[in-house]
């Protein structure tokens, strides 16, 4: 993983976005500059082993986690707490 330093709030937001089924890895890359592999490494490092296994099983092969594999029927999901994406590092809550 790159030597990117994240605040605890940023790490929490990355984890939250990674757990969301309809948030693609590309959105995490866009907001935080970390690749899918770096996100996986961060999740492995930050989660308990049992949570890591649950998350990994959940996202492995899931088309909605990859923008190119998403169908049009999925549409765009916007969390009620999500503000407009404008290169903010963290959405305001």
């Amino acid at each position: 993983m790159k030597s990117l330093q994240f605040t605890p709030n940023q790490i929490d937001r990355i984890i939250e976005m990674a757990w969301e089924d309809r948030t693609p890895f590309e959105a995490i890359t866009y907001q935080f500059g970390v690749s899918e592999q770096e996100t996986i490494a961060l999740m492995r490092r930050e989660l308990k082993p049992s949570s890591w296994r649950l998350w990994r099983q959940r996202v492995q092969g899931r088309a909605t986690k990859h923008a190119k594999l998403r169908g049009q029927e999925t549409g765009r999901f916007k969390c009620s707490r999500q503000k407009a994406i404008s290169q903010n590092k963290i959405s305001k809550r």
Side-chain angles (χ1 to χ4, degrees):
M1 188 169 187
K2 296 177 198 171
S3 60
L4 295 173
Q5 297 298 321
F6 294 110
T7 66
N9 285 343
Q10 290 172 321
I11 291 172
D12 288 346
R13 182 63 183 138
I14 292 170
I15 291 170
E16 183 180 8
M17 290 175 77
W19 268 107
E20 293 170 352
D21 290 339
R22 295 177 69 173
T23 301
F25 286 114
E26 290 84 358
I28 297 170
T29 301
Y30 180 77
Q31 282 193 317
F32 295 98
V34 293
S35 68
E36 177 182 348
Q37 292 303 317
E38 292 166 334
T39 301
I40 292 168
L42 183 138
M43 296 292 279
R44 180 178 286 230
R45 187 181 71 235
E46 297 293 329
L47 296 178
K48 295 185 297 185
S50 59
S51 297
W52 155 254
R53 284 190 298 274
L54 285 172
W55 176 78
R56 194 66 186 126
Q57 183 179 20
R58 181 182 177 119
V59 300
Q60 200 154 16
R62 182 177 290 268
T64 56
K65 291 304 280 183
H66 302 278
K68 289 181 182 178
L69 300 177
R70 292 171 69 130
Q72 288 298 332
E73 70 277 355
T74 305
R76 183 178 178 281
F77 174 75
K78 183 174 179 181
C79 176
S80 61
R81 293 183 297 171
Q82 179 182 353
K83 300 294 181 187
I85 296 176
S86 61
Q87 292 278 2
N88 288 350
K89 293 296 182 189
I90 268 192
S91 62
K92 296 176 183 157
R93 295 181 184 196

